[in-house]
Amino acid sequence: QELVVVTPRSIPVRVVSERVQRFDFGPQSFIRHNPDNDQVLKTGFYQQLEKGNVSILVHRRKIIQEKIVQTTLERKFISLDSYYALKDGRYYPINHHKSLLGLMGDSRQAVTRQLKQQKLKYKHGPENYILKATQFYNQSHK
């Protein structure tokens, strides 16, 4: 949960994360969140994927898995992404497609129909599925 920037001379500099509330990296926006009242979000930077009646945030982490194979140390980076929805001032974790569609109330069937037409499945690409479902929901609730 550290923010590191690289200077023009290629020197990495660690920024005091507590002083940064938000930043943009190209078209991507990141927001620093502190724990919410319901303790759903932890302190850290979250990428904002979608903004609207339902906003989507993703917390991206990478961990290093180390394993000794015979006489060598093998390291592998593993990406762990956690998705969250913000609706009506509350944060909800999105662990599977049902937790996302449950937030869509009456529009659940229309969103599901739209996703089926686009041949999208949660297990084949959770981020794309979440993004498309939320975009359709937000467009229909303007």
Side-chain angles (χ1 to χ4, degrees), residues 30-86:
F30 294 85
I31 302 168
R32 179 175 168 77
H33 282 279
N34 292 316
D36 58 310
N37 293 338
D38 298 327
Q39 300 293 316
V40 174
L41 298 182
K42 296 179 180 156
T43 300
F45 289 103
Y46 292 78
Q47 182 181 357
Q48 187 167 23
L49 294 179
E50 177 70 15
K51 191 172 183 176
N53 289 331
V54 173
S55 296
I56 301 297
L57 303 172
V58 60
H59 187 245
R60 300 191 189 279
R61 297 181 298 144
K62 294 206 187 292
I63 60 170
I64 300 172
Q65 183 181 55
E66 296 180 332
K67 187 165 79 172
I68 298 174
V69 178
Q70 294 177 349
T71 59
T72 59
L73 177 66
E74 291 184 1
R75 289 186 178 146
K76 185 165 59 168
F77 287 92
I78 299 173
S79 295
L80 299 172
D81 296 338
S82 302
Y83 298 94
Y84 301 90
L86 171 62

Side-chain angles (χ1 to χ4, degrees), residues 83 94-97 120-127 129-130:
Y83 298 94
I94 302 172
N95 300 320
H96 45 76
H97 72 282
L120 294 174
K121 292 192 176 191
Y122 185 87
K123 64 182 178 181
H124 294 149
E127 187 165 315
Y129 184 94
I130 292 167

Side-chain angles (χ1 to χ4, degrees), residues 95-131:
N95 300 320
H96 45 76
H97 72 282
K98 289 181 182 179
S99 57
L100 173 66
L101 295 173
L103 296 172
M104 304 197 171
D106 319 6
S107 302
R108 180 182 182 146
Q109 288 181 335
V111 171
T112 303
R113 207 173 313 117
Q114 182 72 19
L115 293 169
K116 281 184 181 178
Q117 286 177 354
Q118 295 180 19
K119 297 181 179 162
L120 294 174
K121 292 192 176 191
Y122 185 87
K123 64 182 178 181
H124 294 149
E127 187 165 315
N128 191 39
Y129 184 94
I130 292 167
L131 192 56

